């Protein structure tokens, strides 16, 4: 894939998660945003911000503080930037009976303690950033 050209790739769960968390930290995103299991590969292209994550199986995680169930596909891709992930693919948040795909995640800058999840349908949900802290 052309998008992956020039990317740094880490293989295996521990190395992959270390890299993913390092990127979240570097770009000012909550460290608990990617509660993944059995990561196979994580890659990042510094000059475009393109990131990809491959894991063995789909993961569903409930963020307890906001009672929100989020589904992470076997492949997750997006473009990481300061306080934001855009063109996100592979992440869905449950809304009533639907699972609309999350297309963009933005943390307020300057910080207000809020994070926004936008879907392709134009629906934006706002939550406290703390709900996505490491270990949530």
């Amino acid at each position: 894939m052309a998008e992956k050209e020039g990317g740094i790739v880490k293989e295996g769960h521990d190395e992959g998660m270390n890299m993913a968390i390092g990127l979240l930290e570097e770009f000012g995103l909550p460290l608990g945003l990617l509660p993944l299991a059995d990561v196979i590969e994580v890659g990042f292209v510094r000059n475009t911000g393109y990131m990809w994550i491959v894991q063995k199986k789909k993961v569903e995680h409930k963020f307890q503080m906001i009672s929100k169930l989020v589904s992470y596909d076997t492949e997750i891709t997006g473009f990481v930037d300061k306080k934001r992930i855009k063109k996100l693919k592979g992440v869905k948040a449950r809304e009533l009976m639907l699972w609309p795909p999350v297309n963009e995640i933005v943390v307020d800058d300057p910080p207000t303690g809020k994070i926004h999840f936008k879907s392709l349908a134009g629906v934006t949900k706002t939550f406290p950033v703390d709900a996505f802290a490491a270990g949530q």
Side-chain angles (χ1 to χ4, degrees):
M1 280 180 116
E3 288 134 343
K4 294 184 178 182
E5 217 168 280
I8 307 157
V9 178
K10 297 287 183 199
E11 295 191 347
H13 183 76
D14 294 341
E15 287 213 12
M17 281 308 291
N18 285 344
M19 181 165 150
I21 287 167
L23 289 170
L24 291 174
E25 201 162 29
E26 177 182 340
F27 290 101
L29 294 159
L31 301 187
L33 211 50
L34 298 168
L36 308 174
D38 290 334
V39 170
I40 298 167
E41 178 183 288
V42 175
F44 180 64
V45 181
R46 174 80 43 201
N47 60 0
T48 60
Y50 183 74
M51 179 176 102
W52 69 93
I53 298 169
V54 181
Q55 57 179 352
K56 281 186 191 144
K57 57 184 191 297
K58 197 165 102 166
V59 170
E60 285 186 1
H61 180 82
K62 184 161 191 182
F63 289 95
Q64 296 300 338
M65 192 189 280
I66 54 171
S67 299
K68 180 63 70 187
L69 192 61
V70 180
S71 161
Y72 297 85
D73 229 326
T74 52
E75 189 165 357
I76 300 161
T77 61
F79 291 84
V80 187
D81 203 355
K82 184 180 182 225
K83 304 256 184 209
R84 110 179 345 198
I85 301 173
K86 20 179 219 216
K87 295 187 183 169
L88 183 63
K89 292 188 174 122
V91 178
K92 295 177 179 160
R94 185 162 175 144
E95 286 297 328
L96 305 170
M97 302 308 288
L98 303 172
W99 286 89
V102 176
N103 186 41
E104 188 171 3
I105 299 174
V106 181
V107 175
D108 283 346
D109 191 19
T112 60
K114 300 278 182 221
I115 184 167
H116 311 277
F117 294 80
K118 301 178 183 178
S119 76
L120 283 169
V123 177
T124 300
K125 295 281 180 184
T126 301
F127 299 106
V129 171
D130 297 353
F132 302 93
Q136 279 298 321

